[in-house]
Amino acid sequence: MKIGVVGFGRRISGVIYGPVKELAPDIRITGIVDPDEKGARSRLSEQDSKEAVFYKTLGEMVRKAKPDALFIGTRCNLHTPYAIQAARYDIPLFLEKPVAISMQQAVSLEKAFEKSKCRVVVSFPLRVSPLCSFTRERIEEGAVGEPVHIMAWNYVSYGTVYWEQEYRNYKITQGLFLQKGTHDLDYMMYLMGSPIVKVGAMATFMKIFGGKKPSGLVCSKCKEAETCLESPANRKRNRSGPHEKDHPCIYSVDCGSLKTGTNEDTSSAVVEFASGAHGVYTQVFFTRRDAHARGSTLSGYMGTLGFDWYKNQLNYTRHHEPFSDTVNTDPGMNHFGGDLELARDLVKLVKDSRFKSRTPIETGLASVYTCLAAKESYLKGRFVKVRQVGQ
Ligand SMILES: NC(=O)c1ccc[n+]([C@@H]2O[C@H](COP(=O)([O-])OP(=O)(O)OC[C@H]3O[C@@H](n4cnc5c(N)ncnc54)[C@H](O)[C@@H]3O)[C@@H](O)[C@H]2O)c1
């Protein structure tokens, strides 16, 4: 299986050399489009380093390297332009999320895929994680009756990455609904079996992160490192993570501003589903240590199902029978086992032309339209209708 990659960075090299290689040990990366050839080469295996050719464009790579699968792993703002090019070919595509970062991008991406033969695995590990799939199966069996409510939470314990890495570049990410919530809003629609049609959202900015510290400041050059809770020494002492290396200041002007756009410390959305049900989603980026939590509680008249990926557990209460269950899942899986499932789909797409991805392009688009509506809602202070795929 020959692989062509656009943007051979940290995430996509981890996916290819991790779960994809686990399932298809004979893979070879034969073509790469990445302007940082040195950085990309440092991530290649010894064998692939000998074979892989760097190309200027996706088109040239497809023509000359003839890949069996394409992977797009650039940063967020380039997913759409490259995916539009990939849509011209009948080659299975693994596409990083979010699939678009603006309405203009999302609409042109949808258009490009309307008549495309390109089958896509959108990188949504949560939706395909065993715990989420298992929960959906219980819902389909009628465990809760018709789902009428969902409450989903995401307390991120490594949230400083969105202020100390490239994720703080708002031009590239366009905020944390698109960056993070895109996963959760997607799996909520999957579990509820219905798209989100209306959103009311709120966001809180610059109460915790961001600020006026100089551009380019890093802890090792900062006079306040002794007292700052985010310095490597204090993170180490307090065991507050997410890492203890020297890093860019999370209170710097580089994190953006309300005027230029910046990531939210925390944001929440009330959502209405096409089925008439409603739900809530909330994400918090300054929590630490064992405050981490990500999961949901979903209810219908007949029962309630609740799970948290960090607890590896599903709880089921029958509302009208005196029995409740707890199901435990295996701990320690990468992205809660979701990355392996995404890789499984991609490998199947290559081997079987009739196989259907569990995260096709429509799931990526539906989630982006929802995230964009959430952004518009918190900016305008009112409920916003969500554009629907195929509208
Ligand atoms: N699905 C998930 O759970 C998940 C997890 C982590 C990251 N991600 C996503 O993965 C993406 C990449 O994140 P990362 O941490 O690997 O970033 P990265 O910076 O390590 O990788 C991006 C790569 O793209 C290359 N690149 C830059 N400009 C390019 C261009 N014009 N054409 C081709 N390549 C170009 C860079 O040189 C780099 O190698 C992000 O969009 C992020 O949201 C998804």
Side-chain angles (χ1 to χ4, degrees), residues 6-11 33-36 43 73-76 78-79 82 96-97 123 125 167 179 183 335:
V6 181
F8 191 60
R10 271 161 292 200
R11 162 73 183 160
V33 178
D34 193 318
D36 178 16
R43 285 184 265 273
T74 59
R75 292 215 158 257
C76 312
L78 297 176
H79 296 163
Y82 278 119
E96 257 318 328
K97 49 51 56 174
S123 181
Y167 294 112
Q179 182 52 232
H183 290 290
H335 265 149

Side-chain angles (χ1 to χ4, degrees), residues 5-13 15 32-37 39-40 43 56 72-79 82 94-98 122-126 162 165-167 172-173 178-180 183 294 335 339 342:
V5 192
V6 181
F8 191 60
R10 271 161 292 200
R11 162 73 183 160
I12 219 69
S13 57
V15 170
I32 294 183
V33 178
D34 193 318
D36 178 16
E37 181 169 341
R43 285 184 265 273
K56 285 265 178 297
I72 296 178
T74 59
R75 292 215 158 257
C76 312
N77 57 327
L78 297 176
H79 296 163
Y82 278 119
F94 185 97
L95 178 59
E96 257 318 328
K97 49 51 56 174
V122 175
S123 181
F124 278 150
L126 293 190
Y162 300 105
Q165 292 184 7
E166 260 300 277
Y167 294 112
I172 290 177
T173 60
L178 281 162
Q179 182 52 232
K180 199 80 184 153
H183 290 290
R294 197 172 196 180
H335 265 149
D339 283 346
L342 293 172

Side-chain angles (χ1 to χ4, degrees), residues 68-251:
D68 302 304
L70 287 171
F71 283 70
I72 296 178
T74 59
R75 292 215 158 257
C76 312
N77 57 327
L78 297 176
H79 296 163
T80 289
Y82 278 119
I84 288 176
Q85 294 178 46
R88 292 183 200 134
Y89 308 99
D90 184 6
I91 304 174
L93 169 67
F94 185 97
L95 178 59
E96 257 318 328
K97 49 51 56 174
V99 299
I101 59 160
S102 67
M103 186 57 87
Q104 200 189 12
Q105 278 199 348
V107 171
S108 43
L109 184 64
E110 184 175 350
K111 195 155 183 276
F113 273 88
E114 263 162 17
K115 292 196 181 93
S116 170
K117 286 191 175 156
C118 175
R119 291 168 303 149
V120 183
V121 171
V122 175
S123 181
F124 278 150
L126 293 190
R127 172 190 278 248
V128 297
S129 68
L131 189 50
C132 187
S133 305
F134 187 76
T135 305
R136 177 65 199 161
E137 280 164 26
R138 301 288 82 77
I139 295 165
E140 283 171 8
E141 286 165 10
V144 303
E146 184 192 340
V148 180
H149 185 266
I150 184 167
M151 173 178 72
W153 56 85
N154 187 6
Y155 288 82
V156 185
S157 60
Y158 52 88
T160 55
V161 301
Y162 300 105
W163 282 267
E164 61 182 56
Q165 292 184 7
E166 260 300 277
Y167 294 112
R168 69 186 186 173
N169 186 339
Y170 192 80
K171 275 199 186 114
I172 290 177
T173 60
Q174 291 294 306
L176 295 176
F177 270 115
L178 281 162
Q179 182 52 232
K180 199 80 184 153
T182 187
H183 290 290
D184 303 77
L185 293 161
D186 168 65
Y187 89 74
M188 287 166 71
M189 291 190 259
Y190 171 60
L191 287 183
M192 295 296 281
S194 180
I196 292 171
V197 292
K198 205 197 299 173
V199 182
M202 274 193 196
T204 301
F205 299 93
M206 300 187 78
K207 277 239 174 262
I208 312 269
F209 300 128
K212 299 236 159 65
K213 295 277 184 247
S215 173
L217 183 65
V218 290
C219 300
S220 55
K221 300 260 159 50
C222 180
K223 293 194 191 93
E224 293 172 45
E226 183 77 18
T227 52
C228 179
L229 285 173
E230 299 295 344
S231 70
N234 284 329
R235 281 185 179 178
K236 191 166 184 179
R237 182 178 309 133
N238 300 326
R239 306 182 65 80
S240 57
H243 65 82
E244 290 150 14
K245 292 184 240 132
D246 191 21
H247 59 88
C249 179
I250 62 174
Y251 306 113

